Amino acid sequence: MSAERTWLVGGLSSLHDPLLAAALKAGGTRAEALHPRTDAGLRRARALGNHGQCNPAHYTVGAVLEHARCSGVEPSVFAGRHGWLTAGSCGPCRLAAFGFEYARVLAGAGLDQLPVARVEPLALLEGRVPSARPAAANALLLAVAAGDALTALGHTLRPYAVDPRDVDALLASSVRELAEALQRRASLVPALRRVRAAAREVACDPARVLPRVLLVGEPWTTLSDGDPSYDLARRLGALGVEVETPLACDWLHYRIWEEQRDARAGPGGPEVEARVRALRRAERRLRALWRYVADAVGLGPARRPDPEQLATLAGAHYDPDVRGGSAHLEVGRALQADRDRTAHLVLSLKPFGCLPSSDVSDGILSVLLRGRPRLRFLALETCGDADTTAESRVEMAIHAAALAATDELDAVRRARSLSPSDAERELAIRSPWPTGPAGPRTFACTAAEALWRAGSTGP
Ligand code: SF4
């Protein structure tokens, strides 16, 4: 990777991108986080590209156009001074040809000389980053896991924070601190422990009775924050909703699982066995990395979803060998949430026109969850201009979920003969931090479940 160019790193989230840039800088590469992906960037890119293309590609390349525009220099000069490092696409589907679309849009904007390095997830796990040393792949992987830990921390704290802006401020300062440690190639543990200590200082109200939402959907949309996802996870948290979202490490885990499954289905032989062993090593490494950051930041023992279990759960409704987007993962996660009672609402978020995810939400989940009345379902398509519609539909669904959470708390109170003030007193001394009780639960509402577990009799 040329040391003269500044590499723009972006495409995951505002928490991940600066950490990824810092990881590259640690290896001596000039790097900076890409401009955030915005609706304005989407419109610019779409105007230059294929109008039928799904929007993750346009949001991402649109951020490059915005970065170039804000630099104030001519496109050709910008392209001569910069490169762009970005993730691959969301797998094999008719629209996943992101590379062609990037090239078309960049050419239309006069940026055709801008080098683009696309890192496929598995290449990262195997230490292969285009034109960079293997150490850069390790540092990038650590940055992904650290970004995930901050993402999960934000989702845990925000709904209980007296002022959700305190959580945003905590995350912003944490990104700076972790980026600085990554750049110095220092251990992240001290910085993550300081983040954990600072998180404990955020004023929280642990007695809140909150609905829980499981966010599923197309990978790029659910992993991102800001405009591409309507900033939905953060907005829901600020509205007082516990949100569980997929993380980038989950996506990497799924990609390993896919490769393992394909390798095992093949004819076998020494090469295949070596491949399976390498994938198993990558899987162990990824699990260890997640535990390393999750423990240090205080996220508790909650495990990430296991792709094999999700495939087993989803298998009767979606063939795990059909690939593209989140494939069977949406179905598996939704059924797991129903089985383990960990959500009141499943919200499927996808870009407008996303074939794999729309098939799942319109054709499978909406039918499957109709027979499970305690788990509501809402599908939303992001198109860059439907903010108000999305918000009002989400607020209606959240209202129903909040009523369900209150009903659950009332059921536990009755079972334990607690008055509302008794329950509130008991909940007020509970710590919402690091995380609520893990599944399987009796009640999806964390307050109801905590009160239930604290009591000795059932409803
Ligand atoms: S999975 Fe959806 S968003 Fe991703 S490339 Fe395919 S159509 Fe586009």
Side-chain angles (χ1 to χ4, degrees):
M1 197 169 276
S2 164
E4 288 79 47
R5 288 180 188 275
T6 299
W7 285 82
L8 306 172
V9 189
L12 262 181
S13 79
S14 64
L15 299 178
H16 292 86
D17 293 351
L19 300 181
L20 293 167
L24 273 190
K25 283 191 211 167
T29 301
R30 284 166 65 167
E32 62 186 69
L34 181 64
H35 187 281
R37 285 166 296 164
T38 59
D39 290 341
L42 169 72
R43 283 192 290 274
R44 271 175 205 284
R46 194 182 272 159
L48 295 168
N50 168 7
H51 289 201
Q53 174 72 45
C54 52
N55 69 35
H58 284 158
Y59 267 118
T60 310
V61 71
V64 179
L65 303 193
E66 289 293 88
H67 206 112
R69 189 177 63 83
C70 295
S71 72
V73 298
E74 287 297 315
S76 58
V77 177
F78 183 88
R81 291 178 186 165
H82 294 86
W84 176 29
L85 182 83
T86 187
S89 71
C90 38
C93 90
R94 75 189 168 113
L95 290 172
F98 284 13
F100 296 112
E101 192 60 10
Y102 291 161
R104 177 205 291 245
V105 171
L106 290 174
L111 292 165
D112 40 329
Q113 296 304 313
L114 184 82
V116 181
R118 293 172 62 214
V119 185
E120 291 297 335
L122 279 180
L124 195 62
L125 281 160
E126 290 163 0
R128 293 183 283 116
V129 176
S131 321
R133 298 182 204 104
N138 291 339
L140 287 169
L141 202 54
L142 184 56
V144 169
D148 277 358
L150 292 184
T151 304
L153 176 66
H155 296 340
T156 304
L157 269 183
R158 196 174 279 114
Y160 290 97
V162 174
D163 185 346
R165 287 171 302 185
D166 291 347
V167 180
D168 295 335
L170 168 76
L171 295 179
S173 64
S174 303
V175 167
R176 284 195 295 275
E177 185 158 1
L178 290 174
E180 200 259 331
L182 276 166
Q183 202 174 326
R184 282 191 291 112
R185 294 198 235 174
S187 161
L188 287 194
V189 170
L192 287 166
R193 287 197 179 139
R194 282 193 292 279
V195 174
R196 173 185 189 155
R200 288 187 189 280
E201 298 302 312
V202 172
C204 285
D205 175 4
R208 288 180 180 171
V209 181
L210 305 179
R212 280 176 66 85
V213 170
L214 171 70
L215 200 68
V216 296
E218 189 275 335
W220 280 45
T221 309
T222 49
L223 294 178
S224 68
D225 55 2
D227 288 352
S229 65
Y230 290 143
D231 213 8
L232 206 55
R234 198 184 62 76
R235 279 195 212 195
L236 289 175
L239 282 173
V241 176
E242 286 188 314
V243 191
E244 195 180 321
T245 67
L247 298 175
C249 282
D250 299 335
W251 178 246
L252 292 174
H253 202 171
Y254 166 66
R255 292 286 293 111
I256 296 173
W257 176 88
E258 265 186 339
E259 291 284 316
Q260 281 176 331
R261 188 174 172 97
D262 290 349
R264 287 197 191 106
E271 271 182 32
V272 173
E273 279 165 27
R275 177 83 184 130
V276 170
R277 279 198 300 277
L279 289 164
R280 246 188 247 131
R281 277 197 300 278
E283 186 183 359
R284 279 199 297 273
R285 190 162 154 240
L286 188 61
R287 284 187 200 276
L289 195 56
W290 169 251
R291 278 270 55 92
Y292 166 79
V293 293
D295 286 344
V297 87
L299 283 171
R303 291 215 186 117
R304 299 306 305 164
D306 181 87
E308 185 61 36
Q309 278 185 24
L310 296 180
T312 305
L313 279 169
H317 314 283
Y318 193 112
D319 185 345
D321 288 319
V322 175
R323 305 286 160 78
S326 286
H328 64 274
L329 296 177
E330 289 194 54
V331 178
R333 282 177 179 140
L335 292 180
Q336 191 172 53
D338 184 55
R339 185 196 67 189
D340 293 349
R341 199 82 182 93
T342 51
H344 297 100
L345 171 71
V346 173
L347 206 161
S348 174
L349 192 66
K350 74 274 330 294
F352 176 75
C354 170
L355 199 64
S357 190
S358 298
D359 277 356
V360 168
S361 51
D362 298 345
I364 303 176
L365 277 180
S366 55
V367 177
L368 206 54
L369 298 184
R370 210 178 288 152
R372 293 169 165 80
R374 64 185 187 181
L375 194 57
R376 288 151 196 80
F377 177 65
L378 177 66
L380 274 187
E381 286 187 333
T382 64
C383 55
D385 57 6
D387 209 9
T388 315
T389 314
E391 216 170 293
S392 62
R393 288 183 63 203
V394 170
E395 281 178 15
M396 279 200 319
I398 294 301
H399 180 65
L403 292 178
T406 308
D407 285 349
E408 289 173 358
L409 187 83
D410 289 345
V412 179
R413 275 200 312 98
R414 281 195 302 277
R416 291 192 51 201
S417 306
L418 293 173
S419 69
S421 51
D422 287 342
E424 200 176 329
R425 259 196 304 279
E426 203 171 309
L427 288 169
I429 54 168
R430 164 189 102 78
S431 167
W433 169 255
T435 49
R441 296 174 168 210
T442 307
F443 299 97
C445 168
T446 298
E449 180 71 7
L451 215 53
W452 171 246
R453 291 190 187 191
S456 53
T457 53

